[in-house]
Amino acid sequence: MFRAPARLAWLDALRGPAALAVTMHHAGWTFAPDLWAEVDRRIDFGSWGVFVFFLVSGYIIPASLERRGDVRAFWTGRAFRLLPLLVSACCLVLLLALAGVLTLEPQLAERPLPVVALGNLTMLQELLNLPAVISVTWTLSYEMAFYLISVALFQVRQAGRSAEIAVVLALVAVGLGLLVPQTMIGGRDDVAAVLLPVAVVAAIAVTALGHGRVRTAAAVAGGLLGLGLVILGSRAGTWQGVIILATMFAGTAVHRAEQGAIPWRTAAVAVAVVLGCGLFAKDEPSWASAIALAYGAFGLAFALRRRAFPRWLARLGVISFSLYLLHPILLHVIPNPVLYFLALIPLSAMTYRLIEAPAQRLGKRLIAGGPEPR
């Protein structure tokens, strides 16, 4: 047992089970679909896992940005945290497909390869109605939108309004969800699928490299692009997409209350409103139970945050991104459920050690060696 306040062990203790829940969800539908259908009727473990991730991101991402106080360092850190493994995993999928080990999704051949590559590498494919090289990366599109909005709020000094933003987004999710139930970004619009991610990359680049009003304008443009993509491009519908954003800001509100920046009552109201609006975003009982239990798990872990956690549980959280990203590939490669679960954790630990950790260290060195923030 150990305490790790610097690493925030309670967050790692949440990430690990969340990643495993998603792997179990997809493995269940792959290896025992009839049995898993009965489980999934009661609780959607996949949705439980990803909503835990969204709450954790909401709690930690703005805190990380504000601790650094430098948007260039923030974007550098995010790039070296996510892109090395994402690019490696996508290349692995393509190599396995060329070797005949797995079959690519048919939708990947329906759009031009450069367009699909751009969408996936900018992590915006879900909001651009583009096929994903790795199915589970749809969540990264919402994470990217959240980063863009968080940076915009930080740059205009409105980051402290997390609770109000969470409530407004939750109410907007219901209203717009009823008016705009389906994505408005067409599945054949290659021009928009190129221009929008290029605009996002340009906004990030100018925000990171620019100064003064130019940086602020670019950050605001990026935030508006992120919000607009979620509202208009959420493939699951506007209600679900905006509720995901609201959920992340609810996580941020909890962090604000913990730091004493807002009253606990304000954070509690924000969480309750977002949860209440989110329960009905999808007309399935298993969805509502999953979302409620995700909020409950986050609340329980937060309440126990000063307690010790088993080392293996925190370690599982450290490799959770590898677990999350690699398990769909492994499902195609290993058709045996026992071998699948035996191989998944060692493989994820290896990719963390060989790809994620070195990339993160390099990102930290680049941040430390960069110019002072302005």
Side-chain angles (χ1 to χ4, degrees):
M1 307 287 279
F2 76 112
R3 296 182 186 276
R7 237 302 329 137
L8 293 173
W10 72 275
L11 292 176
D12 283 330
L14 271 173
R15 288 188 182 107
L20 282 183
V22 177
T23 68
M24 288 176 59
H25 176 77
H26 293 128
W29 280 112
T30 300
F31 298 123
D34 293 336
L35 173 62
W36 198 256
E38 292 301 313
V39 174
D40 204 56
R41 284 178 53 243
R42 292 164 176 81
I43 177 172
D44 183 344
F45 276 98
S47 294
W48 179 86
V50 297
F51 265 81
V52 168
F53 275 124
F54 290 140
L55 284 162
V56 169
S57 290
Y59 179 90
I60 198 64
I61 291 298
S64 173
L65 171 59
E66 291 156 26
R67 184 178 67 250
R68 291 189 174 112
D70 179 9
V71 293
R72 181 185 300 179
F74 171 78
W75 282 119
T76 301
R78 286 291 87 195
F80 281 89
R81 172 72 178 90
L82 300 173
L83 285 177
L85 183 63
L86 176 62
V87 172
S88 300
C90 287
C91 289
L92 177 60
V93 169
L94 297 177
L95 288 173
L96 291 174
L98 287 173
V101 176
L102 59 78
T103 303
L104 293 175
E105 292 294 327
Q107 294 87 343
L108 288 169
E110 297 174 0
R111 304 292 292 275
L113 179 59
V115 177
V116 172
L118 179 62
N120 279 264
L121 292 179
T122 55
M123 296 177 285
L124 292 169
Q125 75 288 337
E126 176 69 14
L127 304 176
L128 297 169
N129 212 346
L130 287 169
V133 176
I134 303 173
S135 60
V136 295
T137 55
W138 69 268
T139 60
L140 299 182
S141 296
Y142 293 98
E143 296 272 358
M144 177 59 78
F146 180 64
Y147 301 160
L148 290 164
I149 297 169
S150 295
V151 168
L153 291 170
F154 171 80
Q155 196 62 32
V156 298
R157 296 180 174 83
Q158 296 297 315
R161 298 183 178 275
S162 307
E164 297 97 315
I165 292 169
V167 170
V168 169
L169 285 173
L171 297 176
V172 166
V174 177
L176 286 182
L178 296 173
L179 294 172
V180 190
Q182 301 297 328
T183 177
M184 295 184 68
I185 296 179
R188 299 288 181 182
D189 193 347
D190 293 333
V191 174
V194 170
L195 292 181
L196 288 169
V198 167
V200 166
V201 171
I204 292 172
V206 176
T207 301
L209 301 175
H211 303 289
R213 292 181 179 178
V214 172
R215 167 177 280 182
T216 301
V220 170
L224 292 173
L225 277 169
L227 180 60
L229 282 170
V230 171
I231 291 173
L232 300 176
S234 294
R235 201 146 24 183
T238 302
W239 194 336
Q240 288 183 45
V242 180
I243 277 295
I244 289 172
L245 281 183
T247 292
M248 288 191 270
F249 278 106
T252 309
V254 173
H255 174 75
R256 303 278 182 223
E258 183 188 20
Q259 298 300 310
I262 63 174
W264 271 111
R265 180 179 298 178
T266 301
V269 169
V271 170
V273 171
V274 175
L275 177 57
C277 293
L279 292 176
F280 305 99
K282 190 174 182 180
D283 188 20
E284 292 181 7
S286 61
W287 163 273
S289 60
I291 304 310
L293 288 173
Y295 275 71
F298 181 82
L300 178 62
F302 180 81
L304 299 174
R305 66 192 182 281
R306 294 187 177 88
R307 302 289 184 90
F309 289 90
R311 186 178 296 274
W312 64 267
L313 189 59
R315 181 62 184 172
L316 198 63
V318 171
I319 65 170
S320 60
F321 187 48
S322 281
L323 280 171
Y324 184 77
L325 210 56
L326 296 179
H327 82 270
I329 306 172
L330 207 60
L331 280 173
H332 289 282
V333 177
I334 302 179
N336 181 285
V338 175
L339 294 177
Y340 163 77
F341 280 109
L342 285 176
L344 179 59
I345 292 178
L347 176 63
S348 300
M350 183 181 70
T351 55
Y352 174 80
R353 188 182 185 90
L354 297 179
I355 299 174
E356 289 192 74
Q360 290 176 43
R361 288 195 295 269
L362 176 59
K364 289 176 181 177
R365 286 199 295 272
L366 291 174
I367 291 169
E372 291 295 320
R374 297 187 184 184

